[in-house]
């Protein structure tokens, strides 16, 4: 399994999250080095079925930038922005229609629900704590709760969420979410390329901990953050190092109810 091999190399290589931590007290921007090599990006060509498959509400899309939209998608974008006007909410110029379409896909083209989610997301964007690492966030990153583990064969970033390392009784889920948001924003800013690389892979490492160790509500809140503020960004989620109990419990099936815009959660040992 390519993702598991990449994960193991990262864990058994240099110290966890060492690259991620360096930027905290760095005078320059070292994360430019995370950008993929241009000659490799130029070699990425997506089949039409990867860019989008299906039609209307049954459609599924991976690429949103530098590609044409059909009439249904354009209509839904227009309806959503119209719904926001009575609330005196203007979508900022740096909030492109590609992002509006991602929210629409994530909400199964329910325009009212999409407009409400965008309103909440715009408020969230104004909160700096999810974009800058404070001391608590740094400590979570230093402990390897969230880190980057390279790329897959299509240059999609691989992000590890080490829920098995945390102690939910001590580590507040809000602080974990801040650490996750910092890394995800960094991934989006430096490791994506419009029209080429617009998705990532997420490995949720439970470190053999079960549902008695990590409450389902804790896990769900983490996944809800990704869905609410980074819609349609995840290509696949792999749950690794999980105890056998997770495979047979009804609670595990509840975990899969988190709406990730059609993305799959794959449970693996």
């Amino acid at each position: 399994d390519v993702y598991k091999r990449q994960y193991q190399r990262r864990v058994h290589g240099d110290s966890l999250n060492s690259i991620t931590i360096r930027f905290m007290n760095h005078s320059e921007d070292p994360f430019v080095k995370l950008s993929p090599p241009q000659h490799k990006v130029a070699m990425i060509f997506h089949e039409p079925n990867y860019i989008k498959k299906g039609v209307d509400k049954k459609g599924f899309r991976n690429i949103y930038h530098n590609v044409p939209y059909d009439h249904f998608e354009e209509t839904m974008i227009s309806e959503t922005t119209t719904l926001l006007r009575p609330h005196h909410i203007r979508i900022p110029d740096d909030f492109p229609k590609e992002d509006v379409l991602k929210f629409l896909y994530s909400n199964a083209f329910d325009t009212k629900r999409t407009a409400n989610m965008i309103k909440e997301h715009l408020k969230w964007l104004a909160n700096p704590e999810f974009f800058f690492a404070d001391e608590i966030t740094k400590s979570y990153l230093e402990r390897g709760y969230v880190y980057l583990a390279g790329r897959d064969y299509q240059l999609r970033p691989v992000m590890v969420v080490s829920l098995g390392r945390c102690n939910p009784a001590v580590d507040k889920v809000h602080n974990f979410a801040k650490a996750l948001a910092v890394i995800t924003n960094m991934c989006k800013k430096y490791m994506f390329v419009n029209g080429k690389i617009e998705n990532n892979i997420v490995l949720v490492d439970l470190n053999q901990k079960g549902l008695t160790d990590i409450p389902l509500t804790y896990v769900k809140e983490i996944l809800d953050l990704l869905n609410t503020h980074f819609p349609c960004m995840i290509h696949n989620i792999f749950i690794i190092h999980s105890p056998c109990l997770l495979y047979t419990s009804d609670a595990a099936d509840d975990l899969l109810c988190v709406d990730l815009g059609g993305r799959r959660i794959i449970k693996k040992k």
Side-chain angles (χ1 to χ4, degrees), residues 94-234:
D94 58 352
F95 192 88
K97 73 175 185 179
E98 289 88 351
D99 285 354
V100 176
L101 187 58
K102 288 179 182 180
F103 277 97
L104 279 163
Y105 269 99
S106 181
N107 289 285
F109 288 94
D110 183 326
T111 54
K112 184 176 180 179
R113 192 170 71 177
T114 299
N116 288 332
M117 185 176 284
I118 289 176
K119 284 192 293 183
E120 293 303 313
H121 179 65
L122 291 175
K123 294 177 184 177
W124 182 83
L125 288 175
N127 188 345
E129 69 175 347
F130 290 100
F131 298 89
F132 301 98
D134 56 20
E135 291 303 318
I136 294 177
T137 304
K138 289 180 187 179
S139 70
Y140 278 49
L141 297 178
E142 287 168 349
R143 282 179 272 175
Y145 286 4
V146 186
Y147 62 92
L148 298 172
R151 297 176 179 272
D152 74 353
Y153 69 101
Q154 287 191 337
L155 300 184
R156 292 177 295 221
V158 178
M159 184 170 67
V160 180
V161 181
S162 297
L163 285 173
R165 288 178 173 271
C166 74
N167 179 359
V170 177
D171 301 318
K172 296 184 182 300
V173 67
H174 178 74
N175 292 329
F176 199 115
K178 289 196 298 182
L180 178 61
V182 167
I183 295 298
T184 307
N185 276 310
M186 185 173 65
C187 174
K188 184 178 179 181
K189 179 178 179 180
Y190 295 99
M191 304 181 78
F192 281 7
V193 178
N194 287 346
K196 298 285 188 176
I197 308 166
E198 298 188 16
N199 316 111
N200 66 352
I201 307 296
V202 175
L203 304 182
V204 179
D205 184 3
L206 296 182
N207 194 27
Q208 302 303 328
K209 289 186 177 180
L211 297 173
T212 57
D213 303 301
I214 308 173
L216 192 62
T217 53
Y218 196 98
V219 180
K220 191 174 186 300
E221 189 165 341
I222 294 296
L223 296 180
D224 280 341
L225 170 81
L226 295 174
N227 177 57
T228 304
H229 302 296
F230 303 97
C232 298
M233 179 174 168
I234 299 172

